[in-house]
Amino acid sequence: MRDSAGGPRVLLRRLRELMAEALDPQERLDHIVREIAQNMVAEVCSLYVLRADSMLELYATEGLNPGAVHLAQLRLGQGLVGTIAASARPLNLSDAQKHPAFTYLPETGEEVYHSFLGVPVLRAGRTLGVLVVQNRTMRHYREDEIEALETVAMVIAEMIATGDLARLTRPGIELDLSRPVSMTGLPFNEGVGLGHVVLHEPRIVVTALFNEDSDDELDRLETALDSLRLSIDDMLSRRDVAFEGEHRAVLEAYRMFANDRGWVRRLKEAINNGLTAEAAVEKVQSDMRARMMHMTDPYLRERMSDFDDLANRLLRQLMGRGPDALAEILPKDAIIVARSMGAAELLDYPRQKLRGLVLEEGAPTSHIVIVARAIGLPTVGQVKGAVSMSENGDAIIVDGEDGQVHLRPQGDVEEAYAEKVRFRARRQKLYQELRDRPTETRDGVPVDLMMNAGLAVDLPQLAQSGAAGIGLFRTELQFMVAAAFPRVEAQERLYREVLEAADGKPVTFRTIDIGGDKVLPYFKGAQHEENPALGWRAIRLTLDRPGLLRTQIRALLKAAGGRELRMMLPMVTEVSEVRQARDIIDREVRHLSRFGYLLPTRLKLGAMIEVPALLWQLEELMQAVDFVSVGSNDLFQFVTATDRGNTRIAERFDPLSVPFLRILRQIVRAGDQYGTPVTLCGELAGRPISAMALLGIGFRSISMAPAAIGPVKAMLCELLLSDLSVVMEEALANHSASTDIRALLRDFANKHSIAL
Ligand code: PEP
Ligand code: MG
């Protein structure tokens, strides 16, 4: 076996010089393959580039017939080169022609070569091409030679990604990197967004590829690894609630990976081959990502994503960059692409620049999705592979109506969507015209359409949507976006602002609903819980920490001085909890009145019906409160025992089903019986079809995301409610629990020309 001439360091140095020279792209490639062949003492070095039509085209060669360049091609999966591209793994063969996948391309004249080493050209886990060296003699390439060729492939990946080679493509042919990709997920919030990709966890672009001194780079790597390990240990030793449960498991995985000897060894090898520490992290990670794409085990894929996050953290350590540097250079039509993200993180982006959200995870009633809906962001969730397929700045379209995401769309797709946006604008205009019409059904039944809100940014929507008031103000959102517990003054300020914006329209403030999936990173009181949704949350937590509740009640009472104040308690399980809360409120009222504060003119206290146990206390409850509001997100979660944040079962059961609608109707009836107003403020209120069902079983007030008011009102104005009530009554009384209520509703809508 012959030794390489000069080793990978010399080769990388030569490549660096070649990159800096003023050459045209083909010349540069020709030089590069020649250098590689010489350096690796190979007779052949060839580069194949993957095109959008899944063909691998020969782009440059040293040793094969030069006339075959841009002519010889193999399908993805075909021949040795196609196999390497499809599997994203190297192939090292001493007698290539004996390999079952070997395909002979006569135009190349490669029949005289026996040994073959090919590596995938990878970037961010995507295969962009294949780099091959060949020798006449039968030899087996060494590990360090494979490593060296992979390192060189990384440099070539960079050339492809920066568009250097795009100029060499024939007209009408595109490289795979710029291939349009359409992905399907679940529509989480309607609307269509056209814009450009912003990766929430940006892949850091490594620009300095070659090192000057490997020892220095190894030192930098060690230092960065040390601080990475320390920061993980530090996070693990904190007992914050934010680092419990799932989050803790992820951190444990990080710690394991950060100490993984194989990973560290591969990083060091890449540095010894001449890369900077950053480029080494990028290379090792890209290799792993490419392999991950071929894994089917969801658990392993998930762990690999953790590894990805870890590599990004390490890169940030090395580059001394904060996680949010990108927000500053946000395009004005940003579409955020993320694996998953916290509700508060979304609010960190300037709203006016956001056009849409794409999540690989998420569920329709998870809080990130509720916040996206609150700020009217077209959202598609559960889009597999969205992050790895996207590059910052790629053109992208999010269709929140049918759950489609189009990455790097072609002209005709873009045109179709521009038309869709124009159509929506016309519909929006129709909703605006409807806004000033009375909100009543075709047969004259008035209905209150209220909106849900939670932050000051939502307030302009009150006038724009024509909502009758705020049926649910989620006060915990202020807590979730803050760095520490908001002080009483800050709370009072927000509540006052809300009441002023409402200008006499009713506003229902829900006392803080934290715990469960609404985590406050600064709240030290909570502990790890096996089942947080069933745990210490909402009213349970605030009754145990009356200081928290008292502060909020005081802020509310002061802000509503001289006005009506409506307060609502979340997650009530027993009527006695309402009584305890009322005691605290009464005490605060007495306290403020003693100090001469202006008090609310009227105080109404309501309870949310979210816990099934309340269904057997309706009589007592209706008499103990001034109003109730059904939290259908939680009620449905508990009634059907399906975690509202769990993507796997998100669509499994339908709230528009006989059993759940029977429950809701029972609540309406109990309210009627005791003269207690009943409303519903879960996500069910916001879709025309489910809003129609709610009206049909007796609801006359519902609260939804502001963007839903127009479509729901359009449905309502066409609705003959008396007819629908008969249909629903009959369906819930006589039909079996498996009757398809959704089909029944669609049928009714069709017959009456109601657009759903
Ligand atoms: C609900 O549970 O339906 C609800 C409105 O409350 P949240 O979604 O904030 O839990
Ligand atoms: Mg709830």
Side-chain angles (χ1 to χ4, degrees):
M1 209 183 291
R2 286 173 292 179
D3 260 333
S4 341
R9 294 191 57 79
V10 175
L11 177 57
L12 281 186
R13 193 169 324 121
R14 269 300 293 142
L15 291 188
R16 174 164 42 178
E17 285 159 15
L18 280 173
M19 303 287 256
E21 270 176 48
L23 297 170
D24 81 48
Q26 187 66 55
E27 256 184 296
R28 198 191 314 280
L29 273 191
D30 294 344
H31 279 299
I32 287 178
V33 289
R34 194 169 316 136
E35 290 290 343
I36 299 171
Q38 264 172 22
N39 181 277
M40 296 192 66
V41 199
E43 281 110 24
V44 173
C45 174
S46 313
L47 172 68
Y48 296 81
V49 178
L50 184 61
R51 302 192 319 220
D53 60 357
S54 298
M55 297 303 285
L56 288 143
E57 177 179 320
L58 181 66
Y59 259 61
T61 186
E62 165 72 12
L64 297 187
N65 175 10
V69 170
H70 296 300
L71 287 179
Q73 53 189 42
L74 286 151
R75 236 178 319 105
L76 191 66
Q78 184 196 11
L80 300 177
V81 169
T83 303
I84 294 166
S87 65
R89 286 176 180 281
L91 263 184
N92 180 4
L93 307 168
S94 54
D95 195 355
Q97 295 171 30
K98 291 239 172 70
H99 192 278
F102 179 78
T103 306
Y104 173 53
L105 295 180
E107 64 270 34
T108 59
E110 64 183 323
E111 62 275 21
V112 293
Y113 303 106
H114 285 282
S115 48
F116 173 105
L117 169 63
V119 299
V121 175
L122 298 172
R123 188 180 144 82
R126 293 185 64 187
T127 302
L128 306 184
V130 173
L131 185 62
V132 175
V133 289
Q134 289 172 276
N135 282 83
R136 280 174 203 275
T137 53
M138 288 197 207
R139 57 167 296 208
H140 203 74
Y141 298 91
R142 294 187 314 261
E143 271 303 310
D144 61 313
E145 289 176 305
I146 302 176
E147 185 70 31
L149 199 62
E150 283 180 336
T151 306
V152 175
M154 189 180 163
V155 178
I156 292 174
E158 205 54 39
M159 282 178 74
I160 300 176
T162 50
D164 220 26
L165 301 196
R167 282 184 282 157
L168 301 181
T169 56
R170 274 169 291 146
I173 287 191
E174 266 185 293
L175 296 187
D176 187 65
L177 189 77
S178 44
R179 176 168 55 97
V181 178
S182 291
M183 296 172 276
T184 305
L186 294 181
F188 281 169
N189 189 35
E190 68 131 31
V192 172
L194 278 76
H196 291 91
V197 169
V198 170
L199 290 170
H200 175 59
E201 288 282 343
R203 263 196 295 281
I204 293 167
V205 181
V206 177
T207 43
L209 291 176
F210 313 105
N211 74 40
E212 301 286 343
D213 179 336
S214 291
D215 289 340
D216 283 356
E217 290 302 303
L218 287 170
D219 283 351
R220 287 183 63 230
L221 177 73
E222 276 305 341
T223 314
L225 276 171
D226 281 348
S227 21
L228 180 72
R229 290 179 189 129
L230 272 178
S231 74
I232 296 169
D233 287 347
D234 182 45
M235 282 190 273
L236 275 166
S237 66
R238 275 155 56 185
R239 292 204 47 83
D240 296 7
V241 66
F243 297 117
E244 294 299 339
E246 279 257 311
H247 205 124
R248 190 177 184 88
V250 170
L251 284 173
E252 301 272 11
Y254 281 178
R255 176 154 66 182
M256 195 178 83
F257 293 145
N259 290 299
D260 181 290
R261 287 229 210 97
W263 188 51
V264 176
R265 180 179 46 76
R266 282 193 293 277
L267 291 173
K268 288 185 176 165
E269 256 166 28
I271 291 177
N272 281 327
N273 278 341
L275 291 182
T276 57
E278 288 88 341
V281 177
E282 175 87 19
K283 176 186 178 296
V284 170
Q285 205 50 25
S286 197
D287 294 350
M288 291 186 98
R289 260 192 232 124
R291 271 154 223 175
M292 173 190 95
M293 296 216 174
H294 300 274
M295 281 184 203
T296 45
D297 182 336
Y299 178 80
L300 282 181
R301 284 182 70 122
E302 186 68 16
R303 297 279 73 82
M304 290 306 298
S305 302
D306 293 340
F307 225 144
D308 248 4
D309 292 346
L310 184 75
N312 252 336
R313 272 168 194 263
L314 183 56
L315 279 178
R316 288 202 188 100
Q317 293 278 1
L318 283 163
M319 297 171 105
R321 215 180 295 168
D324 49 10
L326 197 94
E328 291 156 25
I329 47 157
L330 212 60
K332 62 180 187 313
D333 56 359
I335 292 186
I336 310 292
V337 179
R339 190 173 141 211
S340 66
M341 70 197 281
E345 289 177 292
L346 180 60
L347 291 163
D348 284 342
Y349 288 97
R351 170 68 191 96
Q352 66 279 12
K353 287 187 168 183
L354 297 188
R355 295 290 175 272
L357 174 65
V358 177
L359 299 171
E360 287 198 355
E361 298 175 1
T365 57
S366 58
H367 280 95
I368 170 71
V369 175
I370 286 173
V371 170
R373 213 169 282 143
I375 60 175
L377 210 56
T379 302
V380 177
Q382 296 191 31
V383 188
K384 301 284 167 266
V387 172
S388 58
M389 298 302 282
S390 311
E391 291 278 342
N392 268 323
D394 277 351
I396 185 171
I397 297 174
V398 180
D399 183 343
E401 267 164 34
D402 59 9
Q404 292 282 322
V405 175
H406 302 279
L407 196 58
R408 304 179 285 272
Q410 275 169 327
D412 51 346
V413 175
E414 231 168 298
E415 196 33 59
Y417 271 96
E419 179 49 38
K420 196 162 179 174
V421 168
R422 283 193 288 274
F423 173 76
R424 283 182 54 82
R426 285 197 294 276
R427 225 170 39 191
Q428 232 42 57
K429 201 156 158 269
L430 178 94
Y431 297 150
Q432 292 208 334
E433 283 158 17
L434 276 182
R435 193 177 58 188
D436 302 321
R437 272 183 45 184
T439 314
E440 55 182 42
T441 61
R442 221 168 100 197
D443 45 353
V445 182
V447 176
D448 277 337
L449 297 186
M450 318 279 275
M451 71 170 231
N452 296 344
L455 291 167
V457 289
D458 302 333
L459 298 176
Q461 306 260 20
L462 189 53
Q464 282 160 22
S465 66
I470 297 179
L472 166 65
F473 190 87
R474 291 183 163 101
T475 61
E476 65 277 4
L477 290 193
Q478 183 188 21
F479 289 70
M480 286 162 73
V481 300
F485 274 116
R487 304 179 70 87
V488 65
E489 296 80 12
Q491 294 184 44
E492 184 186 334
R493 213 175 311 123
L494 174 66
Y495 304 151
R496 195 183 295 280
E497 201 182 329
V498 175
L499 288 165
E500 269 159 24
D503 196 23
K505 288 181 178 176
V507 178
T508 301
F509 291 97
R510 174 172 73 184
T511 59
I512 45 171
D513 185 6
I514 51 170
D517 60 339
K518 297 178 205 172
V519 167
L520 305 181
Y522 49 83
F523 181 44
K524 302 285 188 279
Q527 286 177 358
H528 171 64
E529 291 182 335
E530 209 50 59
N531 293 299
L534 308 177
W536 195 51
R537 53 175 292 204
I539 186 74
R540 303 168 183 184
L541 186 154
T542 46
L543 284 178
D544 288 359
R545 290 289 160 89
L548 213 62
L549 190 57
R550 249 194 327 264
T551 308
Q552 183 173 37
I553 289 170
R554 186 170 303 174
L556 283 165
L557 288 168
K558 284 163 87 177
R563 297 186 172 103
E564 176 183 271
L565 174 61
R566 296 169 60 87
M567 265 189 270
M568 176 160 83
L569 308 170
M571 284 287 291
V572 172
T573 312
E574 293 180 339
V575 179
S576 63
E577 291 165 325
V578 178
R579 299 206 182 96
Q580 288 176 61
R582 205 185 273 283
D583 281 348
I584 297 177
I585 297 169
D586 289 347
R587 223 171 309 144
E588 271 317 298
V589 169
R590 283 198 299 275
H591 174 81
L592 289 184
S593 121
R594 208 168 29 239
F595 285 91
Y597 282 98
L598 178 62
L599 289 171
T601 50
R602 216 157 20 148
L603 209 153
K604 293 198 166 164
L605 182 63
M608 291 194 74
I609 301 187
E610 298 180 290
V611 179
L614 271 191
L615 300 173
W616 287 271
Q617 305 167 69
L618 286 176
E619 218 172 90
E620 197 186 343
L621 176 74
M622 293 296 177
Q623 299 177 75
V625 295
D626 301 303
F627 63 93
V628 297
S629 184
V630 180
S632 55
N633 304 336
D634 275 317
L635 186 59
F636 186 68
Q637 141 164 283
F638 296 130
V639 161
T640 55
T642 36
D643 178 350
R644 62 190 270 185
N646 185 331
T647 47
R648 197 154 181 177
I649 46 174
E651 301 281 294
R652 194 177 183 101
F653 303 110
D654 190 352
L656 296 187
S657 58
V658 172
F660 196 59
L661 290 174
R662 278 181 183 155
I663 289 173
L664 297 180
R665 190 184 51 170
Q666 180 193 343
I667 298 171
V668 175
R669 284 183 175 168
D672 287 348
Q673 193 182 342
Y674 291 94
T676 307
V678 175
T679 180
L680 182 145
C681 60
E683 301 309 304
L684 206 52
R687 298 229 169 231
I689 189 168
S690 47
M692 193 170 108
L694 295 174
L695 300 182
I697 57 170
F699 280 89
R700 295 296 173 263
S701 165
I702 48 178
S703 192
M704 63 201 79
I709 291 192
V712 169
K713 187 164 177 179
M715 172 278 295
L716 179 149
C717 290
E718 297 301 319
L719 181 65
L720 274 177
L721 187 50
S722 51
D723 285 12
L724 176 66
S725 309
V726 173
V727 171
M728 291 303 286
E729 185 63 32
E730 206 261 334
L732 296 193
N734 303 330
H735 287 254
S736 87
S738 57
T739 302
D740 189 345
I741 297 282
R742 208 170 267 277
L744 204 80
L745 289 162
R746 269 201 219 103
D747 205 41
F748 182 90
N750 274 342
K751 274 204 200 107
H752 293 78
S753 310
I754 300 171
L756 289 180

